[in-house]
Amino acid sequence: MLCYLSKGGGIVKAVDIYQQFFSARCEYNGVARRGVSVWLTAESDGGRIRYAAGVSFFPHRDGEDYAVSYDAVAQRVIYEAKGRRSKTRETAFLKTLRDHADALARELGGVIFWDDPLRAARLG
């Protein structure tokens, strides 16, 4: 869990629900990207919960290169409301994560190869 101060001075608690690396194809800022990190996060602050899906394309020049770059990144809030974390809600969001990630990848001009994971999923 990551904690940080919100603009209003409260403490925001951020949790990585899911993250996984996949083979991908994207050219961004003139650099070929062959890997992508896909994630789902939850942030709670002052009785509100927000879930966001995101992707970050990176060069992945060899099997050891996981140096994630921060210029080929897209993120989308998929849910925000009063409340707290819900395992049922998180399970539902995980089922739709690929659709969100594919849409974000298209915005960046990339494609994710879901059948070629680079590492096992990390669940939080």
Side-chain angles (χ1 to χ4, degrees), residues 18-24 34-39 58 60 62-68 98 112-123:
Y18 168 91
Q19 182 188 29
Q20 190 165 10
F21 294 90
F22 293 91
S23 290
R34 293 190 295 269
V36 65
S37 172
V38 176
W39 69 84
F58 60 101
H60 195 59
D62 60 52
E64 301 298 315
D65 181 10
Y66 287 88
V68 176
R98 285 188 180 196
I112 301 167
F113 301 122
W114 296 105
D115 58 343
D116 191 10
L118 299 174
R119 288 191 174 175
R122 192 180 81 200
L123 300 171

Side-chain angles (χ1 to χ4, degrees), residues 63-78:
E64 301 298 315
D65 181 10
Y66 287 88
V68 176
S69 52
Y70 294 96
D71 62 343
V73 177
Q75 181 170 297
R76 169 184 298 167
V77 174
I78 58 176

Side-chain angles (χ1 to χ4, degrees), residues 9-109:
I11 296 178
V12 177
K13 294 170 248 6
V15 177
D16 292 327
I17 305 299
Y18 168 91
Q19 182 188 29
Q20 190 165 10
F21 294 90
F22 293 91
S23 290
R25 184 181 63 240
C26 182
E27 184 165 328
Y28 198 84
N29 283 339
V31 178
R33 319 296 172 114
R34 293 190 295 269
V36 65
S37 172
V38 176
W39 69 84
L40 174 68
T41 59
E43 293 183 349
S44 62
D45 178 29
R48 295 192 62 80
I49 185 73
R50 177 175 55 221
Y51 289 91
V55 298
S56 179
F57 288 91
F58 60 101
H60 195 59
R61 292 178 180 98
D62 60 52
E64 301 298 315
D65 181 10
Y66 287 88
V68 176
S69 52
Y70 294 96
D71 62 343
V73 177
Q75 181 170 297
R76 169 184 298 167
V77 174
I78 58 176
Y79 180 85
E80 185 170 11
K82 281 187 171 183
R84 57 185 179 173
R85 286 185 62 191
S86 160
K87 291 293 183 186
T88 303
R89 192 180 300 130
E90 290 173 7
T91 299
F93 293 151
L94 284 170
K95 288 179 182 177
T96 63
L97 181 60
R98 285 188 180 196
D99 293 333
H100 291 292
D102 282 336
L104 293 168
R106 281 191 300 276
E107 289 176 14
L108 295 170

